Amino acid sequence: MQQLSTPICYCFLSTKPPQLPALALLLRPSPRFASASAYGPGSAARRLGPPPPPSVASAMRRRGRRRVAPSPAAATDGREAAAPGSQEKRAGTDLKTLATRFWKVAAPYWWSEDKTQARLRLAAVFALTLGTTGISVGFNFLGRDFYNALADKDQEKFTQQLLYYLGAFAGGIPFFVLRDYAKETLSLRWRSWMTSYYMKRYFNNRTFYKIQSQSIIDNPDQRINDDLSAFTGTALAFSLTFFNAAVDLVSFSNILYGIYPPLFVVLVVYSLGGTAISVFLGKNLVNLNFMQEKKEADFRYGLVRVRENAESIAFYGGEENELQLLLDRFRRAFDNLSELLIASRNLEFFTNGYRYLIQILPAAVVAPMYFSGKIEFGVINQSVSAFNHILSDFSLIVFQFQSISAFSAVIDRLGEFDDLLDGNASSLSSQSDSVDGINIIFKSSRSSVSFNGSLTQSDPCMVLEIRNLTLITPRSGNVLITDLTLELKDKDHLLVMGPSGSGKTSLLRALAGLWTSGNGDIIYHVRGSMQLQNSNVSSDEPYDMKLEGEEVLQNSKQRRDNGIFFVPQRPYMVLGTLRQQLLYPTWSEDVHHSPNNDAESTDPLPFLSEVSTSDGVGAKPEMPSTAELIRVLEAVKLGYILPRFNGLDCMHDWASVLSLGEQQRLAFARLLLAKPTLVLLDESTSALDETNEAHLYSQIEAAGITYISIGHRKTLLKFHNKALYITKCESTHSDLRNWELKTTTQISVEDSSPFSS
């Protein structure tokens, strides 16, 4: 089956090695004009010039096959991909917007911490490009003298020119190779920096969560992996193309104009007319390339979801349904690619004729001068060579229109993503709720600053206060909880109950700072052993943090470092060893930075080592030893997996090899190692039997950890001393309280509803 792909090829430019002799150009179709259809409809291999060296050609093919499936972590929820049939047609982006987006995406690197290396390498590439242009000019004159000697049957001069040719080949080829190598290494370094830059912004302030939960844009993983790679390589290649074209134009225009001025006029008229026709015929290619990127990503994402949910699909017997869904996505990609191929075909009818006609055009124009004896035979070769050079410079749009359109689609996708990361995208602003006003406040156990600026003394036994909390959904505005007020002190354990859809998990999202739609205050009382997230404030100083709306909590690490821990129903299994599973997330940075500092200090790409997305670093327990890790596995009754997986340092797909119950016990092991002040448990024992459930709750209670649980089992009541029951709100703007708080001693387990009135 033919791969659906519209690759961008990167070696379409500035590859003008020594010109082939004119006789060869006249006797056969020149490789300079060979069709590049083998590289796909999005190929940019339309550049006038001989085929690139083998190493460059292989790079073109590698980059043409840049569809790589995302990691499992990158595709865990179907909301990432747009709904089937959405955005089947798309309005085009105007040229001004494309130019603005290009500058916004491209500029930061050249003023970054790596700017010195970047500018030096770019200067070297431009210098080598100038060198290759000078070599091409030299070969232009060598070719003239070579064919003059051949026409004059001057064997001695012919031999001399042949030796000059061979010497020039030996001296000139390294310049072309080094130029391409320098360009590729600069492109790779630029991509590395941009990947780090975009990844930091993607994870900063939980932007990745907002994109996923609100379905703002499609396939952010593809934009980071594929589009950044395409952008850096193509942007640098185009820059060199235009620079080389400008130098060529100056170098060869004098030669051609000096041979025969009318030939220069013919060239200008021919190239301008060809450009206008190419723009007209290929005007739809930009949008078709944009949609092809999206549709292929959607199809790939569907395949990833099948891989990630293979067992569930097999249990349901849903193979036929999944097959049909995938084929539907493939058909949408196929239909779009068919349109793209038709548009490319129409353009190829013109560009092929345009390319082949110029093989005879310059010779036909200057031939009468040769027949009349006004010029020598070698001048024909010189005129053909100069004509081809200048025409390639004038005809950039004609020969590279498909690559330009594909590159425009990449700019559009990255610009859209960049706007979103900056918080400027209309899609994000339109979905931001104007009533966002839930305040997350951290108070130390010492004195702290209250709302009016006066000093207050925090209750040393207090863990959490919720004041007048009204919670609504971020997008639809439905009221979930109205005017909730409660206090939680040390060793107070709260069970949250209620029917499905009443807002239990949403309450935990608000406590974690993931949802801020609504109003009210959530106050965490931080123990003296914890360090608040302000590197300029010492632990002895009173400090209070109050951030509103979208700025509430800059990141989850800030919450975690202040002793707040979250355990979801389906724990997240990181890509790594069993040891890394246990240390996640409290000591993840320590594990990733285990190599010695000397190695890091000599890292040629230091920006790839900077993974922190927070400004402050809170205090945390010392990293557990191997013996402690084994002991905590025994404590949660998972000791038997050590011999099963050959110790702590084995690598597996843990989400697949461990059952959900084992994953939940592993999450409790993380919790016991982290020793937080407060833990939020979202049905975290739902896959466990009652015996294991009771054992885990006894472990965290013995560790002195205060916990809030969400659950449906009435057997959970015995592990808690307070219970909060939430009912569904009947209207969007309900002012009636829909919750009730009781101690568990007031509730009978046998009651059909523990909060029946």
Side-chain angles (χ1 to χ4, degrees):
M1 182 178 293
Q2 180 182 0
Q3 181 185 9
L4 285 178
S5 178
T6 55
I8 302 174
C9 298
Y10 302 96
C11 300
F12 44 78
L13 36 116
S14 60
T15 54
K16 286 194 225 161
Q19 298 299 304
L20 294 175
L23 186 61
L25 288 172
L26 295 173
L27 292 178
R28 63 175 176 81
S30 171
R32 300 185 51 147
F33 311 106
S35 171
S37 60
Y39 296 115
S43 173
R46 306 291 191 263
R47 176 67 172 168
L48 282 176
S55 60
V56 178
S58 63
M60 293 165 66
R61 289 190 293 270
R62 286 197 304 271
R63 288 183 169 177
R65 297 191 299 264
R66 57 187 182 89
R67 294 278 171 249
V68 182
S71 66
T76 56
D77 194 308
R79 292 171 296 181
E80 180 187 2
S86 66
Q87 294 186 352
E88 290 298 320
K89 299 296 180 183
R90 174 181 172 274
T93 303
D94 61 89
L95 186 59
K96 182 179 178 182
T97 302
L98 277 176
T100 303
R101 284 182 166 177
F102 172 80
W103 178 254
K104 189 170 183 287
V105 173
Y109 175 60
W110 306 99
W111 278 267
S112 69
E113 70 279 6
D114 198 44
K115 63 183 178 183
T116 303
Q117 277 283 334
R119 293 173 183 179
L120 287 175
R121 289 170 181 263
L122 184 63
V125 172
F126 279 125
L128 288 168
T129 301
L130 281 174
T132 57
T133 302
I135 292 170
S136 296
V137 173
F139 270 99
N140 183 270
F141 285 95
L142 275 176
R144 180 196 63 185
D145 296 338
F146 179 86
Y147 274 95
N148 280 337
L150 186 64
D152 295 340
K153 299 182 180 180
D154 187 341
Q155 185 174 359
E156 182 180 352
K157 187 177 180 181
F158 175 81
T159 304
Q160 184 183 38
Q161 292 299 319
L162 183 61
L163 292 175
Y164 286 160
Y165 248 127
L166 295 176
F169 280 141
I173 287 176
F175 282 87
F176 289 92
V177 174
L178 290 175
R179 179 201 60 189
D180 292 336
Y181 175 75
K183 175 173 66 68
E184 293 296 329
T185 54
L186 176 57
S187 173
L188 180 60
R189 191 178 185 93
W190 188 7
R191 180 195 174 185
S192 300
W193 184 89
M194 288 191 71
T195 299
S196 173
Y197 176 63
Y198 274 81
M199 289 289 285
K200 290 174 186 176
R201 296 161 70 205
Y202 183 56
F203 284 100
N204 187 48
N205 200 24
R206 294 187 298 272
T207 303
F208 70 96
Y209 174 77
K210 298 171 188 175
I211 291 174
Q212 176 74 4
S213 61
Q214 300 179 30
S215 300
I216 299 173
I217 60 171
D218 65 276
N219 304 294
D221 57 300
Q222 185 199 37
R223 298 176 195 238
I224 293 173
N225 182 56
D226 291 349
D227 291 342
L228 281 180
S229 176
F231 178 84
T232 54
T234 313
L236 186 59
F238 267 124
S239 301
L240 292 178
T241 297
F242 290 122
F243 173 75
N244 195 68
V247 175
D248 259 2
L249 203 57
V250 173
S251 302
F252 287 95
S253 292
N254 288 332
I255 297 174
L256 188 63
Y257 194 83
I259 295 173
Y260 190 45
L263 182 58
F264 185 81
V265 175
V266 169
L267 182 151
V268 173
V269 173
Y270 188 78
S271 60
L272 292 179
T275 298
I277 296 173
S278 295
V279 171
F280 174 77
L281 293 176
K283 58 186 177 182
N284 294 326
L285 285 175
V286 174
N287 286 337
L288 289 171
N289 275 287
F290 184 99
M291 293 307 299
Q292 191 64 28
E293 293 279 340
K294 179 185 182 303
K295 292 174 188 298
E296 288 181 14
D298 289 346
F299 175 62
R300 176 190 62 185
Y301 181 73
L303 292 171
V304 171
R305 282 184 54 79
V306 171
R307 185 186 69 191
E308 292 300 300
N309 299 279
E311 185 176 63
S312 298
I313 294 170
F315 272 127
Y316 278 111
E319 294 86 351
E320 290 186 7
N321 182 68
E322 293 300 318
L323 175 62
Q324 188 59 51
L325 289 174
L326 288 172
L327 289 177
D328 287 344
R329 290 195 171 195
F330 182 85
R331 177 169 291 280
R332 286 194 289 273
F334 173 85
D335 291 342
N336 190 84
L337 185 57
S338 297
E339 292 185 46
L340 185 58
L341 288 172
I342 292 171
S344 299
R345 178 204 63 193
N346 295 339
L347 187 60
E348 284 293 323
F349 276 127
F350 170 72
T351 55
N352 279 329
Y354 185 92
R355 280 196 299 268
Y356 280 96
L357 180 60
I358 61 177
Q359 294 184 61
I360 61 171
L361 183 61
V365 173
V366 299
M369 297 179 65
Y370 172 72
F371 294 139
S372 65
K374 294 180 180 179
I375 60 173
E376 298 174 312
F377 181 74
V379 176
I380 297 179
N381 174 76
Q382 188 179 23
S383 65
V384 170
S385 173
F387 186 93
N388 287 339
H389 269 279
I390 299 173
L391 187 65
S392 67
D393 302 329
F394 273 122
S395 305
L396 287 177
I397 293 179
V398 177
F399 291 113
Q400 299 182 24
F401 195 87
Q402 295 192 51
S403 63
I404 291 172
S405 64
F407 185 47
S408 299
V410 169
I411 295 172
D412 218 1
R413 289 174 61 80
L414 279 179
E416 186 180 59
F417 189 41
D418 195 83
D419 288 342
L420 177 63
L421 296 180
D422 282 346
N424 296 327
S426 59
S427 58
L428 180 60
S429 60
S430 65
Q431 292 173 21
S432 297
D433 202 307
S434 59
V435 297
D436 282 359
I438 297 177
N439 305 320
I440 304 290
I441 304 170
F442 289 99
K443 285 188 177 181
S444 69
S445 56
R446 301 179 176 87
S447 59
S448 61
V449 183
S450 66
F451 298 123
N452 59 13
S454 60
L455 292 177
T456 61
Q457 185 66 35
S458 177
D459 186 344
C461 295
M462 191 68 68
V463 174
L464 171 68
E465 290 181 81
I466 300 177
R467 298 177 181 172
N468 308 114
L469 176 66
T470 296
L471 182 63
I472 66 175
T473 56
R475 301 183 68 180
S476 61
N478 294 327
V479 177
L480 298 176
I481 299 174
T482 304
D483 201 27
L484 174 62
T485 298
L486 62 83
E487 292 182 350
L488 207 63
K489 295 189 176 182
D490 194 20
K491 297 185 180 179
D492 275 349
H493 306 307
L494 175 68
L495 175 63
V496 182
M497 304 181 74
S500 297
S502 59
K504 303 184 298 298
T505 300
S506 299
L507 174 60
L508 289 196
R509 292 190 183 112
L511 293 174
L514 301 182
W515 276 20
T516 58
S517 300
N519 54 68
D521 301 318
I522 298 173
I523 305 170
Y524 291 106
H525 294 259
V526 183
R527 297 290 177 264
S529 61
M530 288 294 174
Q531 178 179 332
L532 290 167
Q533 295 298 300
N534 189 328
S535 57
N536 299 321
V537 180
S538 68
S539 58
D540 295 329
E541 295 176 352
Y543 178 70
D544 175 81
M545 175 180 292
K546 179 182 178 183
L547 298 170
E548 293 190 11
E550 287 296 328
E551 297 181 349
V552 59
L553 294 181
Q554 293 303 311
N555 50 64
S556 300
K557 184 178 185 297
Q558 177 184 346
R559 179 189 70 241
R560 191 176 70 243
D561 286 349
N562 283 299
I564 317 300
F565 205 89
F566 180 77
V567 180
Q569 181 178 9
R570 180 176 288 277
Y572 174 60
M573 297 287 106
V574 300
L575 301 175
T577 65
L578 183 57
R579 184 187 304 274
Q580 289 172 306
Q581 301 299 326
L582 291 167
L583 297 177
Y584 180 84
T586 310
W587 296 277
S588 298
E589 296 88 348
D590 301 328
V591 173
H592 291 305
H593 288 82
S594 57
N596 58 65
N597 292 331
D598 292 338
E600 290 188 358
S601 63
T602 59
D603 188 350
L605 300 175
F607 40 81
L608 293 183
S609 303
E610 301 169 4
V611 297
S612 176
T613 58
S614 59
D615 296 328
V617 179
K620 60 184 176 184
E622 184 180 353
M623 185 187 293
S625 64
T626 298
E628 290 174 305
L629 296 179
I630 295 174
R631 186 164 55 250
V632 79
L633 282 175
E634 296 286 353
V636 298
K637 298 185 177 180
L638 277 180
Y640 64 88
I641 70 172
L642 288 171
R644 174 179 162 191
F645 296 112
N646 299 319
L648 291 169
D649 297 311
C650 50
M651 295 279 290
H652 288 282
D653 182 3
W654 300 103
S656 299
V657 300
L658 297 179
S659 69
L660 181 56
E662 289 171 328
Q663 293 177 44
Q664 289 186 340
R665 280 181 279 169
L666 187 62
F668 272 83
R670 293 172 178 170
L671 168 60
L672 292 172
L673 289 167
K675 301 181 179 68
T677 303
L678 174 67
V679 62
L680 312 175
L681 304 168
D682 184 10
E683 299 191 58
S684 303
T685 59
S686 59
L688 298 174
D689 57 84
E690 293 182 4
T691 302
N692 274 305
E693 180 181 72
H695 175 71
L696 293 179
Y697 271 104
S698 66
Q699 290 289 321
I700 59 175
E701 186 170 14
I705 300 171
T706 302
Y707 51 85
I708 299 175
S709 301
I710 287 179
H712 294 281
R713 298 178 184 171
K714 295 178 184 178
T715 53
L716 290 172
L717 288 168
K718 60 186 175 184
F719 309 123
H720 303 77
N721 48 28
K722 289 185 177 181
L724 174 68
Y725 190 83
I726 303 172
T727 59
K728 287 187 177 181
C729 282
E730 297 299 329
S731 63
T732 304
H733 304 289
S734 175
D735 294 327
L736 299 176
R737 195 176 79 173
N738 65 325
W739 55 272
E740 188 174 0
L741 182 66
K742 290 183 179 181
T743 62
T744 53
T745 56
Q746 298 175 278
I747 302 171
S748 172
V749 177
E750 288 77 19
D751 288 344
S752 59
S753 173
F755 289 85
S756 57
S757 53

